[in-house]
Amino acid sequence: MARQVSTRRKLAFTALAWIVALILFFPILWTILTSFKTEQEAIASPPMIIPSWTIENYIEVQIRSDYFRHFFNSVWISVGSTLIALLIAIPSAWAMAFTPTPRTKDVLMWMLSTKMMPAVGVLVPMYLIFRDTGALDTVWGLTIVLTLINLPIVIWMLYTYFREIPVDILEAARMDGAILWKELVYVLVPMAVPGIASTLLLNVILAWNEAFWTINLTASKAAPLTAFISSFSSPQGLFWAKLSAASTLAIAPILVLGWLSQKQLVRGLTFGAVK
Amino acid sequence: MGSITLEHVHKSFGGHPVIPDASLQIEDGEFVVFVGPSGCGKSTLLRLIAGLEDTTSGIIRLDGEDVTDQGPASRGLAMVFQSYALYPHMTVRQNIGFPLKMANTDKATAERKVADAARVLNLTDYLDRKPRELSGGQRQRVAIGRAIVRQPKAFLFDEPLSNLDAALRVNMRIEITELHQQLKTTMVYVTHDQVEAMTMADKIVVLNAGRIEQVGSPMELYRNPANKFVAGFIGSPRMNFLEGPAADKYRAATIGVRPEHMRISRESGEWAGRVGVAEHLGSDTFFHIHVDGAGMQTVRTEGEKDFAPGDPVWLSPDPSHIYRFDQSGLALR
Amino acid sequence: MATRESRTLARIMMAPSVIVLLIWMIVPLVLTLWFSFQNYNLLNPITSFAGLLNYQFFVTDPAFLQSIGNTLLLVGGVLLITVVGGILLALLLDQPIFGQGIVRILVISPFFIMPPVAALIWKNMLMHPGYGIFARIAETFGFQPVDWFAQFPLFSIILIVAWQWLPFATLILLTALQSLSEEQKEAAEMDGANALRRFIYIVLPHLARAITVVILIQTIFLLGIFAEVLVTTNGGPGYNSTNLAFLVYRTALLSFDVGGASAGGVIAVILANIVAIFLMRAVGRNLDA
Ligand SMILES: Nc1ncnc2c1ncn2[C@@H]1O[C@H](COP(=O)(O)OP(=O)(O)O)[C@@H](O)[C@H]1O
Ligand SMILES: [Mg+2]
């Protein structure tokens, strides 16, 4: 393992890796830089790299489009749907991980299969149901839909984490006189905290970036950041600095969360199939 | 009080019978060891008593009361697991105090009991550590501490020493035996190691393929094994079995002679053979002898003997210690 | 752990999730099926039974075949770029380099960008024929700037989506690569295998499972690509960048043709199921590993 690598070789790979990484990151970097330029600087030729660090654009975005309303819609929808999903998923994953039956695997597979149903397949009835129940353009309506579409992933992730907890320990709790809810609250949940936390993180990210239902089932009142930013797609004139500011605002919170949870991402999204 | 009664207990996993029909009486205060080869159903039987598995049929009684349909939490038994099953997120103090917390014991009493248990088990200095900061032997003691604070009707141990190294295993064996002498609470102890069974038990239950082969005190089993399986399982090194003409002479299908009851001589004896491997333990020496027409036999001699591999030797059994078995392996008396 | 009581309890604990997902799966799907056999337009209050007419219209619409083709091109193109690029990038990141942590963070970042933002950034900042960076670079070298979304609409979308998914593929392949034991590589080296042979005979087979997982999971998401199309080309020019998801959306919420859109939805479900069957097999096989 600890083989000596020549410094020259390491430097060469370092340079190559950094170049590739910066190219991939460039669109994001450029957007962030542009958001601090004036509109003139944003379209200057040749392109201006260092901005004049104005925060004019951010103020403008907030005043004109009420960024914070959309931001909070995004927060409510993504966090709310994830918490509800966890509430439903924890007992379910507990049951499947610790009291498996010959059918458990089929049930899990079936749950995952609901995730594969293409959204367009049910767009029409969902739209009509939402329209007729007054759920259209409401935060709670979207929260329900996002809970449902992410529930299978939440269950799966928790299931893979729970299976790593030795069943002995839960049995010990039972021998120690713990009834069911005490077993869950005092033993399972504290032991599963890291797993539950990364499940939460990854699902907040997925819900935050969900851009089909959030766009199609909202108009303005409940529009989260995905819908907010989509409204910039038909520009009235050139206003790239403002667009960049709005984009930066939309992605910044989740980018940070994403960096924190990148390790769990692999495990979560591959359902434990790649470790 | 803590007597345990099994009446015709049957357990199958998905139609596959693991315990066909077990009946057993364990008296209050007894130290009972379930012993048998691995996979024979010892853990299953223990877990049935614990309530972690339910019986397919049959009745389990604690102090005469039918508890067959009660969950593990309400049976008032304590269990020590092979893996120790300590709660990794709790300190030693919290681990030991957990059963008291579950029983809603008031804080002052609970603290006192945890402190008492820690003192008995030499854990006082480690109360604020997490399990991962403890050695194997200390973890084992925490698991025992967690079991004793609640003053259970009986203790259940499932191979508690098998994760410890040899020296520690001997120490813990003595500690658990002492604990039993102190507390006088019923203990049911599962192991595949017949040495543990012999040294610790008041009563040994020998299991084979889910069946109870024999129940008795260690010396009863050693002296009067009911069948070939028990005879072969109890005692170390293993009993020698001889068939054919050697057995015919004693009017049995098979005869058994323990290595310590086998005499070895250069001059004369009942069976001729050649010395194979010699194992020198210092106090004893085990010789493995290729006996003509009867295969490998083991002899145990005291001290050092200077037989070299290949030497021709004679073996003869101590006539007062020959075990005779019939065609089906049952002991003939 | 398995007593009658705990099994009963387990069933009760599972019930909410099962019931909720059952409803979520069945109700909208049955409604979609029902609508797909109806003449039902939101602009026209009268509905009637349509038989297979909706399917006939949807399938014979020239846009349908084009959208199926576009969907397959989109999925296939993105998969090709991300798998090949992902393997190369994973091999690079597996080397000892300075600042590995930061490089990883930079590389993974595009995955966390919400689709509409990704599309807007590329459309305006990079690919804009007048002011985009690409145009500026072309001008510097004396070329005519390309009007990406007019000339290569589908390819442009493939590029954007591949940028978003390359980090995912890289991360998974890198994880798999790191689980390859050093000893195995060294053994191959002792056996005299050069770097290329080591890659073909040792590394690639080891990555096979991770590659399958990448392909299958990305396919689920790529079949439903929507926001990128909506934000950049709106499916145009003509139907040149309309995929199946966008076609259904267009039929439903722009033409208000509930029946037709439902028929398209049913077709999308069937298409996805064909893919799903393969995915379930692969993931299912790995479930106990
Ligand atoms: N939950 C279970 N499901 C199916 N078979 C089991 C289960 N638990 C134990 N068994 C089977 O029962 C037999 C006895 O197991 P066990 O009691 O653990 O043996 P021991 O503790 O004596 O080694 C083994 O053959 C084992 O495979
Ligand atoms: Mg066992």
Side-chain angles (χ1 to χ4, degrees), chain B residues 128-277:
Chain B
D128 293 312
R129 294 211 190 164
K130 292 275 178 70
R132 74 179 113 76
E133 299 162 330
L134 300 178
S135 70
Q138 288 165 338
R139 286 181 204 177
Q140 178 67 77
R141 277 201 281 270
V142 176
I144 293 173
R146 197 171 60 183
I148 61 178
V149 278
R150 207 164 48 132
Q151 288 152 332
K153 291 188 194 135
F155 293 98
L156 309 178
F157 294 88
D158 191 352
E159 311 221 9
L161 307 185
S162 57
N163 286 339
L164 300 179
D165 64 52
L168 209 49
R169 201 146 52 204
V170 175
N171 282 344
M172 286 308 297
R173 213 158 76 193
I174 294 165
E175 279 188 40
I176 292 175
T177 312
E178 274 177 350
L179 197 67
H180 178 243
Q181 285 163 0
Q182 237 173 62
L183 300 174
K184 302 189 170 55
T185 309
T186 313
M187 291 191 176
V188 184
Y189 186 105
V190 162
T191 179
H192 63 270
D193 179 356
Q194 62 95 24
V195 176
E196 274 175 31
M198 294 296 282
T199 52
M200 301 173 86
D202 293 326
K203 183 152 101 186
I204 294 180
V205 177
V206 182
L207 288 165
N208 181 27
R211 248 172 279 277
I212 297 180
E213 297 279 348
Q214 192 173 1
V215 179
S217 74
M219 287 326 284
E220 261 170 54
L221 298 192
Y222 179 79
R223 293 203 182 104
N224 300 312
N227 53 42
K228 243 174 92 176
F229 178 81
V230 176
F233 197 80
I234 300 290
S236 168
R238 208 168 168 268
M239 182 185 276
N240 297 301
F241 291 107
L242 295 102
E243 291 167 6
D248 291 344
K249 189 180 155 199
Y250 295 92
R251 297 183 321 289
T254 313
I255 57 165
V257 183
R258 294 196 186 276
E260 52 269 41
H261 300 141
M262 199 72 103
R263 308 265 175 272
I264 183 167
S265 154
R266 288 195 196 279
E267 292 81 33
S268 65
E270 202 165 330
W271 304 303
R274 266 169 204 289
V275 176
V277 173

Side-chain angles (χ1 to χ4, degrees), chain C residues 14-268:
Chain C
M14 277 173 67
S17 63
V18 172
I19 292 169
V20 157
L21 285 175
L22 209 59
I23 294 173
W24 167 237
M25 189 173 88
I26 290 176
V27 172
L29 209 55
V30 167
L31 281 174
T32 305
L33 257 177
W34 169 254
F35 289 143
S36 73
F37 294 111
Q38 303 290 316
N39 283 315
Y40 182 7
N41 192 303
L42 288 180
L43 302 178
N44 178 357
I46 302 151
T47 63
S48 62
F49 184 70
L52 290 172
L53 228 56
N54 284 322
Y55 288 93
Q56 197 188 330
F57 278 133
F58 197 86
V59 171
T60 52
D61 183 342
F64 170 70
L65 274 186
Q66 201 175 354
S67 76
I68 294 272
N70 286 341
T71 306
L72 295 179
L73 274 177
L74 182 59
V75 174
V78 174
L79 283 180
L80 189 72
I81 297 175
T82 54
V83 170
V84 174
I87 291 174
L88 293 176
L89 209 49
L91 285 172
L92 178 60
L93 295 186
D94 195 32
Q95 305 298 322
I97 53 173
F98 293 107
Q100 193 135 33
I102 299 172
V103 168
R104 247 177 100 110
I105 279 182
L106 293 181
V107 170
I108 189 72
S109 294
F111 187 72
F112 302 119
I113 306 305
M114 56 176 67
V117 168
L120 280 176
I121 293 178
W122 278 76
K123 179 186 179 186
N124 293 317
M125 319 285 247
L126 301 176
M127 293 174 140
H128 192 280
Y131 304 98
I133 294 287
F134 290 176
R136 289 283 147 79
I137 294 172
E139 281 165 8
T140 312
F141 290 101
F143 294 111
Q144 182 68 29
V146 177
D147 188 353
W148 292 90
F149 292 102
Q151 288 173 270
F152 312 105
L154 193 61
F155 176 75
S156 305
I157 292 172
I158 289 175
L159 215 56
I160 297 173
V161 177
W163 175 73
Q164 287 179 273
W165 283 94
L166 182 61
F168 174 75
T170 305
L171 201 59
I172 286 184
L173 293 167
L174 181 61
T175 307
L177 209 54
Q178 284 167 345
S179 73
L180 177 61
S181 83
E182 199 71 18
E183 281 180 13
Q184 204 181 336
K185 276 187 272 182
E186 286 172 354
E189 219 175 322
M190 296 297 290
D191 292 340
N194 61 25
L196 183 65
R197 279 164 171 257
R198 284 206 297 277
F199 176 73
I200 292 173
Y201 294 111
I202 309 286
V203 177
L204 215 48
H206 179 79
L207 289 183
R209 171 159 142 184
I211 293 174
T212 325
V213 170
V214 167
I215 290 177
L216 295 168
I217 287 174
Q218 284 195 172
T219 306
I220 296 184
F221 286 91
L222 296 179
L223 280 173
I225 289 293
F226 169 76
E228 289 85 341
V229 180
L230 176 75
V231 170
T232 55
T233 63
N234 232 318
Y239 287 103
N240 280 337
S241 60
T242 298
N243 65 350
L244 196 53
F246 198 76
L247 184 64
V248 174
Y249 158 81
R250 205 171 159 136
T251 317
L253 297 191
L254 298 183
S255 330
F256 303 104
D257 178 3
V258 172
S262 298
V266 172
I267 291 167

Side-chain angles (χ1 to χ4, degrees), chain A residues 168 171 173-176 186 190, chain B residues 47 73 83 87 89 146 150:
Chain A
D168 277 7
E171 292 186 340
R174 236 165 284 171
M175 289 304 293
D176 286 341
Y186 290 116
Chain B
R47 291 162 58 81
S83 61
Y87 309 121
H89 56 291
R146 197 171 60 183
R150 207 164 48 132

Side-chain angles (χ1 to χ4, degrees), chain A residues 157-158 161 188-201 264:
Chain A
M157 284 187 70
L158 290 175
Y161 283 113
L188 178 72
V189 170
M191 283 181 69
V193 159
I196 293 174
S198 45
T199 307
L200 187 137
L201 224 52
Q264 284 74 37

Side-chain angles (χ1 to χ4, degrees), chain A residues 208-228:
Chain A
W208 185 281
N209 287 345
E210 202 289 326
F212 183 80
W213 295 112
T214 50
I215 291 174
N216 281 316
L217 296 180
T218 60
S220 63
K221 191 164 58 66
L225 289 170
T226 43
F228 153 83

